[in-house]
Amino acid sequence: MRDGLRGLTTRGRSFLAAALAAAVSAVILGEKDLLRVAVLLAVLPLLAAAYVGRSRYKLACHRSLEPHRVPVGASSRVVLRLQNMSRLPTGTLLLEDRLPYALGSRPRVVLERLGAHQASSVAYTVRADVRGRYEVGPLVVRLTDPFGLCELSRSFPSVDRLTVIPQVTPLPSVRLPGEYAGSGSSRARSVAVHGEDDAATREYRMGDDLRRVHWKSTARTGELMVRREEQPWESRATVVLDTRGYGHHGDGPTASFEWAVSAAASIAVHLRQAGYKLRLVTGDGADVDATEGAGDGLLLDQLAEVRLDPRGDITTLVQQVRQRGDGGLIIGLFGTVSTAEAKLLAGLRGNGATCVGFLLDSSTWLHLPPRARAEADHAHGAAALALLQSGWRVVGVDHGARLPALWPQAGRGSQGFALRAALAETVAGGVK
């Protein structure tokens, strides 16, 4: 009863106030009929409080997200299944699922009645325009009487998590530099290139399958020879994401950093589908290897939560990548870099690695006056030229550029960009 009195709504308290006023007026005026009205007005909210306060419903709730991982701008369907576990029917239930601000307003659903052991399902949709990992729940159930005079809240502690991943854009098939850099015993010799007669062989060992005997090599050497078991190719690629706070500009989903994150996700998924063993390195310290099973999900979940690091620097990023000399192909997505920082990136070209850099001119995400624009273009051209001279292939990225249109440049090389960068260095050399 005490809980019920604390749960009186504005309407219930108004009834009590009206009952008190009617009772005082009845005493002053000596009207017995008015006193009966006062008693009626007081009894209604008290009965409602007793009814709601003594309700001990046994409710079970199950929430499911369909799907639990969505790209930016897509919707997910949330299904709530509420079941009455007791033998008593419930009254009117008001369901409210708590959501973070980025997923929209809190949904409210009214269930009129649940019979004994009866279940009912309700659904609503959520949509996020900002990537991240969000908690959905807990569910709050508000118990009320039919007149709305009393209301109590009960909550379920369970929450579910919705992961909003970056937008993944399909990329065209392009032969990339360094795509044959890998490991395995078939690296030095390939049957597909040299033919069956040049197959790698070794001496026969006890227990070898006779079906692997290479008769031409046996006849040539005079000893029983078998085909060597070839290890599969292991093409490796490393995607490097620059998270320096001062290297990116713009706000919200259209910022240069969001372009770089979406590009990293698209490139990683594309290379994984092409058979690469992939590694993702970000400037905030993340170092993720994609496994055979949930590799794409692991990468996308990491990119869903990556944030700008105001204290990040290129030296730390280079050291982090070089902790493991995987070699193979390195694809970097960099914000605005200085000439000195571009020279530091030359340290990633060790161990025979082929490096392709998408160099974002993040100043194009800003509105600059003509003189400041000329200075920014000059600095960007000088950094690109320094990166080219250190052995990188460079793909320039301006505001509004689309990754599928830029992706073929990663395979064709960067001669055109080198020429433009050199011209920018020459023409803008006098700008101070």
Side-chain angles (χ1 to χ4, degrees):
M1 184 64 181
R2 188 175 299 175
D3 291 340
L5 291 176
R6 284 198 296 263
L8 286 175
T9 62
T10 302
R11 182 183 300 176
R13 296 178 188 275
S14 299
F15 267 65
L16 289 179
L20 179 60
V24 172
S25 300
V27 171
I28 294 175
L29 299 176
E31 292 288 339
K32 295 183 179 180
D33 292 337
L34 188 57
L35 184 59
R36 295 189 184 98
V37 173
V39 172
L40 178 61
L41 292 175
V43 166
L44 283 176
L46 294 177
L47 289 178
Y51 170 75
V52 175
R54 292 188 177 183
S55 299
R56 292 294 182 265
Y57 303 135
K58 295 181 180 179
L59 301 175
C61 176
H62 173 73
R63 181 191 298 103
S64 61
L65 303 180
E66 303 173 357
H68 69 279
R69 182 189 291 117
V70 295
V72 169
S75 298
S76 177
R77 188 167 181 262
V78 183
V79 179
L80 292 170
R81 180 176 175 82
L82 201 67
Q83 184 174 8
N84 182 12
M85 306 298 292
S86 67
R87 298 180 181 179
L88 298 176
T90 69
T92 303
L93 303 178
L94 176 63
L95 310 183
E96 179 181 316
D97 222 2
R98 294 181 178 174
L99 297 177
Y101 177 78
L103 297 183
S105 59
R106 297 178 178 180
R108 292 180 173 87
V109 181
V110 176
L111 289 180
E112 293 296 339
R113 177 186 174 90
L114 278 180
H117 303 288
Q118 184 181 357
S120 180
S121 298
V122 294
Y124 64 92
T125 58
V126 293
R127 181 177 182 271
D129 294 323
V130 180
R131 58 183 176 80
R133 185 169 293 183
Y134 303 98
E135 287 189 350
V136 179
L139 176 67
V140 178
V141 179
R142 301 185 187 276
L143 311 176
T144 184
D145 65 283
F147 301 103
L149 301 176
C150 183
E151 183 179 278
L152 292 180
S153 299
R154 300 286 188 269
S155 62
F156 295 88
S158 62
V159 296
D160 290 272
R161 287 175 175 80
L162 175 68
T163 303
V164 181
I165 60 176
Q167 190 70 42
V168 176
T169 306
L171 301 179
S173 298
V174 174
R175 173 166 288 186
L176 298 172
E179 65 180 352
Y180 297 113
S183 61
S185 60
S186 59
R187 180 176 181 177
R189 182 178 295 190
S190 174
V191 175
V193 176
H194 299 287
E196 180 69 20
D197 291 343
D198 294 328
T201 58
R202 61 170 175 81
E203 295 180 357
Y204 174 83
R205 298 171 186 168
M206 186 66 67
D208 285 338
D209 191 347
L210 293 177
R211 288 175 296 183
R212 291 172 47 211
V213 174
H214 193 263
W215 297 109
K216 291 185 178 180
S217 298
T218 299
R220 184 170 59 249
T221 61
E223 297 181 2
L224 199 58
M225 306 293 290
V226 296
R227 294 183 181 86
R228 187 186 300 273
E229 292 182 353
E230 294 184 350
Q231 298 178 1
W233 275 87
E234 195 178 71
S235 297
R236 299 183 179 183
T238 301
V239 176
V240 182
L241 177 62
D242 175 21
T243 61
R244 294 171 301 124
Y246 58 86
H248 293 276
H249 295 97
D251 298 317
T254 60
S256 64
F257 182 64
E258 295 302 320
W259 193 100
V261 173
S262 179
S266 302
I267 293 172
V269 171
H270 178 77
L271 294 180
R272 284 261 305 159
Q273 293 174 350
Y276 280 81
K277 182 179 179 182
L278 198 71
R279 177 189 177 201
L280 173 68
V281 179
T282 63
D284 60 353
D287 192 339
V288 180
D289 285 310
T291 58
E292 292 294 332
D296 288 352
L298 186 65
L299 292 171
L300 295 176
D301 287 350
Q302 180 63 45
L303 290 173
E305 298 185 282
V306 66
R307 294 290 182 264
L308 285 172
D309 183 4
R311 295 175 295 180
D313 60 82
I314 290 294
T315 302
T316 303
L317 184 62
V318 171
Q319 292 175 350
Q320 185 178 352
V321 177
R322 294 185 64 183
Q323 285 178 356
R324 290 166 41 191
D326 289 346
L329 176 64
I330 295 178
I331 297 182
L333 295 121
F334 305 108
T336 299
V337 299
S338 64
T339 304
E341 290 173 330
K343 293 178 180 179
L344 290 175
L345 290 173
L348 296 180
R349 297 198 65 250
N351 198 22
T354 302
C355 299
V356 179
F358 287 82
L359 189 60
L360 278 70
D361 185 1
S362 61
S363 66
T364 59
W365 269 259
L366 301 173
H367 296 287
L368 299 177
R371 183 175 181 82
R373 168 57 54 204
E375 293 176 351
D377 291 343
H378 167 62
H380 180 68
L385 188 59
L387 203 57
L388 287 165
Q389 292 172 346
S390 65
W392 280 74
R393 293 195 176 197
V394 180
V395 179
V397 181
D398 295 332
H399 183 238
R402 298 182 62 85
L403 182 61
L406 297 177
W407 183 243
Q409 298 183 32
R412 290 198 299 263
S414 45
Q415 292 81 4
F417 190 81
L419 178 61
R420 293 196 301 273
L423 290 175
E425 176 74 15
T426 303
V427 174
V431 179
K432 303 295 182 182

